[in-house]
Amino acid sequence: MARKPPTKPRKNALQERSRATVDALVEATARILVREGFEKTSTNRIAEIAGVSVGSLYQYFPSKEALVAAVIERHNEEIMGIVRTTLTEVMDMPIEKAVRRLVTVAIDAHRINPELHRVLAEQIPRAGKLDVEAFNREVHSLVRAYFESHRKEMRKIDLDVATFICVSTIEAVAHNTVLNQAEMLSDKMVRTLMDETTRMVVGFLR
Amino acid sequence: MARKPPTKPRKNALQERSRATVDALVEATARILVREGFEKTSTNRIAEIAGVSVGSLYQYFPSKEALVAAVIERHNEEIMGIVRTTLTEVMDMPIEKAVRRLVTVAIDAHRINPELHRVLAEQIPRAGKLDVEAFNREVHSLVRAYFESHRKEMRKIDLDVATFICVSTIEAVAHNTVLNQAEMLSDKMVRTLMDETTRMVVGFLR
DNA sequence: CTATAATGCGAGCATTCACTCGCTTTTCCT
DNA sequence: AGGAAAAGCGAGTGAATGCTCGCATTATAG
């Protein structure tokens, strides 16, 4: 196995100016990933688009992977923010309402930046792998917590299995809806898909 | 957008010897993809492992992408073979039986070569994109055909929506079961997963 | 056996790319 | 003001890689 390149910043941005530089670099990386694809994403190009020199880039990011990892982390954090707040909102709702809400949120989350999501999903470099796993684990445990406190509404079923299946299903439907079918889908179609997915999951749980 | 590299063979292998060369090259590509990852997969290395010179490689494959595409096609064909025969076997079975069989087959298919599947799923180059879409379309239409001829066992529901949701679900569960959790799962656990997934899908359809 | 086509070879070319280093400019602190 | 620390610069370096091309070897046909 190959040694993985470092991911931690070489130095922390302290002053205002340097924080802006770091931001510009991450933003540029995301934009190039979307607009030109992973292969075309070179450090020289990133620096160019960010309006920064390669030298400065390497002051804050020890490797190209570190930059991509930063993009992944930012994107994941954005999504996790939504998921976390939604799951607390939903905590007191009955299963039917809660699941419907989760399905909606899953699709919304995938719509934040579908192209970036696609590129990250397709081309996850080794660097981002850990982040994504942590992400999955957190979603899993949040959903499981909800199930635990709503056990009475549910039939007898292993909670881990239920969580695994439900999360996989909702994620897959959202992913495929937004990415595979793109704009082919009318709003009405999307609503039907959400209704039916909700129905399936709810029917499954009780 | 960048122009995509050609994928068609530069010339067809006619004689026995050259067919063996082509095979060795595809096989070597698959092995390197699995053992050393996409990044380490260079044409020079492929030729080396295949016991063939780079020059010969380029007699049959116009680009590196063409080689990867060939691997993808071979893998997809292997899976599609299983899916096709299973769906004809299943054509006369009632929904319950049929779905259970399909879930089993989905997992089996993912187990053919999990590592290769993972690499291909993660690192699909532009070249393989079309193949994968064709693959999805075929699965979709096969499943839809089954649903059509079993409409009486099902509640009223748009067949495309039903197909989309069912295929997404089964694929996602199989994928995550085999790849995310790897060997962490006991056989019993897998059986439970299959039972529950079947239950969910069947419950959804009627 | 000989001519022709098919197959195979691999050093090397051209290019790309991640990353370094010596230096300048800007900001902060007293 | 002035010195130190932080931030920024970008030409240049070395390594990797996709691919070509001229030639060598092997198979087929007449």
Side-chain angles (χ1 to χ4, degrees), chain A residues 118 122-123 126 129 155 157 161 164-165 168-169 172 176-177 181 189 193 196-197 199-200 204, chain B residues 122-124 126 129 155 157 161 164-165 168-169 172 176-177 181 189 193 196-197 199-200 204:
Chain A
R118 155 180 276 137
E122 283 174 1
Q123 304 272 8
R126 302 286 153 266
K129 213 58 193 303
R155 66 183 169 91
I157 182 180
V161 171
F164 179 81
I165 292 180
S168 296
T169 297
N176 289 338
T177 299
Q181 319 266 328
M189 198 72 171
L193 261 170
E196 294 294 354
T197 306
R199 174 177 183 154
M200 178 167 77
F204 169 64
Chain B
E122 284 174 1
Q123 306 271 9
I124 290 173
R126 302 286 153 266
K129 213 57 193 304
R155 66 182 167 93
I157 182 178
V161 171
F164 179 81
I165 292 179
S168 296
T169 297
N176 289 338
T177 300
Q181 321 266 328
M189 197 71 170
L193 262 171
E196 294 294 353
T197 306
R199 173 176 184 157
M200 177 166 78
F204 169 65

Side-chain angles (χ1 to χ4, degrees), chain B residues 137-202:
Chain B
R137 267 196 301 278
E138 188 177 348
V139 172
H140 190 94
S141 82
L142 285 171
V143 172
R144 194 185 195 286
Y146 173 83
F147 284 168
E148 253 161 28
S149 84
H150 287 256
R151 218 167 191 161
K152 16 185 168 60
E153 301 170 51
M154 291 164 55
R155 66 182 167 93
K156 188 162 169 288
I157 182 178
D158 181 302
L159 283 193
D160 283 315
V161 171
T163 308
F164 179 81
I165 292 179
C166 292
V167 171
S168 296
T169 297
I170 294 177
E171 211 283 333
V173 170
H175 188 91
N176 289 338
T177 300
V178 174
L179 298 187
N180 287 1
Q181 321 266 328
E183 297 82 10
M184 200 203 79
L185 295 173
S186 63
D187 280 3
K188 190 184 166 190
M189 197 71 170
V190 173
R191 201 130 3 113
T192 309
L193 262 171
M194 283 174 17
D195 287 346
E196 294 294 353
T197 306
T198 304
R199 173 176 184 157
M200 177 166 78
V201 172
V202 171

Side-chain angles (χ1 to χ4, degrees), chain A:
Chain A
M1 278 288 158
R3 215 171 321 159
K4 43 184 140 187
T7 285
K8 290 297 165 199
R10 187 163 279 178
K11 87 167 63 157
N12 282 10
L14 303 175
Q15 304 178 359
E16 191 58 35
R17 186 168 52 134
S18 56
R19 249 171 281 138
T21 299
V22 169
D23 265 16
L25 285 167
V26 176
E27 181 58 32
T29 307
R31 282 183 52 175
I32 298 174
L33 278 173
V34 168
R35 296 205 324 220
E36 316 193 22
F38 185 81
E39 293 163 5
K40 286 274 176 189
T41 305
S42 70
T43 52
N44 290 320
R45 187 111 183 82
I46 292 170
E48 181 190 330
I49 295 290
V52 153
S53 82
V54 225
S56 298
L57 185 158
Y58 279 95
Q59 294 236 333
Y60 303 103
F61 297 93
S63 71
K64 182 188 173 178
E65 277 70 22
L67 269 161
V68 179
V71 172
I72 293 176
E73 201 174 321
R74 207 175 72 167
H75 184 69
N76 275 356
E77 213 41 65
E78 208 168 350
I79 290 181
M80 274 312 305
I82 298 179
V83 173
R84 270 191 288 258
T85 52
T86 303
L87 264 156
T88 39
E89 279 171 27
V90 139
M91 213 49 185
D92 296 328
M93 298 183 188
I95 285 186
E96 161 91 40
K97 277 272 176 208
V99 170
R100 164 158 274 113
R101 187 89 191 83
L102 287 181
V103 172
T104 310
V105 161
I107 290 187
D108 287 348
H110 277 78
R111 284 216 237 232
I112 288 181
N113 192 342
E115 281 310 314
L116 181 60
H117 192 86
R118 155 180 276 137
V119 175
L120 294 181
E122 283 174 1
Q123 304 272 8
I124 290 172
R126 302 286 153 266
K129 213 58 193 303
L130 296 174
D131 287 341
V132 172
E133 274 163 24
F135 172 84
N136 284 335
R137 266 196 301 279
E138 188 179 348
V139 172
H140 190 94
S141 82
L142 285 171
V143 172
R144 195 187 195 283
Y146 172 84
F147 284 167
E148 255 162 26
S149 83
H150 287 254
R151 217 166 193 160
K152 9 183 172 71
E153 304 170 50
M154 293 165 55
R155 66 183 169 91
K156 187 161 171 291
I157 182 180
D158 181 303
L159 284 194
D160 283 316
V161 171
T163 307
F164 179 81
I165 292 180
C166 292
V167 172
S168 296
T169 297
I170 294 176
E171 211 283 332
V173 171
H175 188 91
N176 289 338
T177 299
V178 176
L179 298 186
N180 286 3
Q181 319 266 328
E183 298 81 11
M184 201 202 77
L185 295 174
S186 63
D187 280 3
K188 190 183 164 189
M189 198 72 171
V190 173
R191 201 130 3 112
T192 310
L193 261 170
M194 283 173 19
D195 287 347
E196 294 294 354
T197 306
T198 304
R199 174 177 183 154
M200 178 167 77
V201 172
V202 172
F204 169 64
L205 289 173
R206 65 187 179 199

Side-chain angles (χ1 to χ4, degrees), chain B residues 90-107:
Chain B
V90 139
M91 213 50 185
D92 297 326
M93 298 184 188
I95 285 186
E96 161 92 41
K97 277 274 178 209
V99 170
R100 162 158 276 113
R101 187 87 191 85
L102 286 181
V103 172
T104 311
V105 161
I107 290 186

